[in-house]
Amino acid sequence: CSAIDACKTSNGGCSAKAECRRTTPGNRVCICNAGYTGDGIVCIEINPCLENNGGCDRNAECTQTGPNQAACNCLKGYSGDGKRCTYISLCSQNNGGCSEFAICNDTELTERTCTCKRNYIGDGFMCRGNIFQELLRDSNTSRFYFHLEASSIRDIAGPGPFTLFVPRTDVLNSDPRVKDWIAKGVMAQVLRYHMVGCASLLYNDLTTITNITSLHGDPIHISYSQNSLVLNNKAEVILSDAVGTNGVIHIINQILVP
């Protein structure tokens, strides 16, 4: 007589995911393989993510990759190896995409707000100071700024409001009359002729009026036709409505002469 091997046929009736072990002749036990749980007859994969998030950080996603195996991946807005995840501050990099003149505040995951600093206006992504400051920030208007400084004109640094008509930088650089005006000491008068006090006039406002008085004292004639705004029948407004805290800047293609 020979002992009957209970595991010989069909894995002894055990699960395919189990080991059949002979005990006494004709008997056996079924033991689930590593990574599986059950009575040996039925063995089910262990999902480690179901308990304690699989050992992943609470700000990570646990993904089962095999029997009792899992991968940990930090959630959006966090960085790390998945076992440990650290919150990423959007504001910590490049001011969160806000203007350099804005305050970036983290609000919630992957979200932040941009608010212009005191004495600046805008949507947080673009913030403008007073029009005197803004002149220097734009290459089209920076030359006008330097002429104001050279002439010690700081009227438009005040509370305003002001409307400013600025000849483009290349116009100021190329017009030979500028050197003559400086030599004769009248450049300050020419510059003030490009400024209007007590009003912040946008492009649409200018289309409805025909004359305004400059800080120099002389009037500026305004005409509007065929979608073109022209000053003194000569200088055309080519860029408009750069709004600052104390007024607005319009760029023109000619110098206004009082």
Side-chain angles (χ1 to χ4, degrees), residues 151 153 185-194 214 216 256 258:
S151 300
I153 298 175
V186 297
M187 190 62 186
Q189 297 174 42
V190 173
L191 294 172
R192 282 202 171 92
Y193 188 50
H194 293 77
S214 69
H216 172 262
L256 302 177

Side-chain angles (χ1 to χ4, degrees), residues 175-190:
D175 194 318
R177 295 175 298 173
V178 172
K179 288 183 179 180
D180 292 336
W181 292 329
I182 294 172
K184 293 176 181 177
V186 297
M187 190 62 186
Q189 297 174 42
V190 173

Side-chain angles (χ1 to χ4, degrees), residues 93-173:
Q93 299 177 346
N94 195 32
N95 201 31
C98 303
S99 164
E100 61 180 309
F101 303 111
I103 297 170
C104 179
N105 284 309
D106 290 292
T107 52
E108 53 185 275
L109 294 184
T110 70
E111 297 292 335
R112 54 89 179 88
T113 59
C114 301
T115 307
C116 291
K117 294 178 181 177
R118 186 181 176 188
N119 297 326
Y120 287 87
I121 59 172
D123 60 6
F125 297 98
M126 177 174 284
C127 298
R128 295 183 181 276
N130 67 48
I131 55 176
F132 192 63
Q133 295 170 308
E134 291 305 310
L135 287 173
L136 190 58
R137 294 177 59 194
D138 186 338
S139 61
N140 279 320
T141 58
S142 58
R143 190 64 184 164
F144 191 84
Y145 172 89
F146 292 125
H147 280 298
L148 291 177
E149 285 282 40
S151 300
S152 299
I153 298 175
R154 301 189 64 87
D155 306 58
I156 57 172
F162 301 100
T163 300
L164 202 57
F165 301 104
V166 180
R168 210 170 48 202
T169 288
D170 62 326
V171 173
L172 285 170
N173 286 339

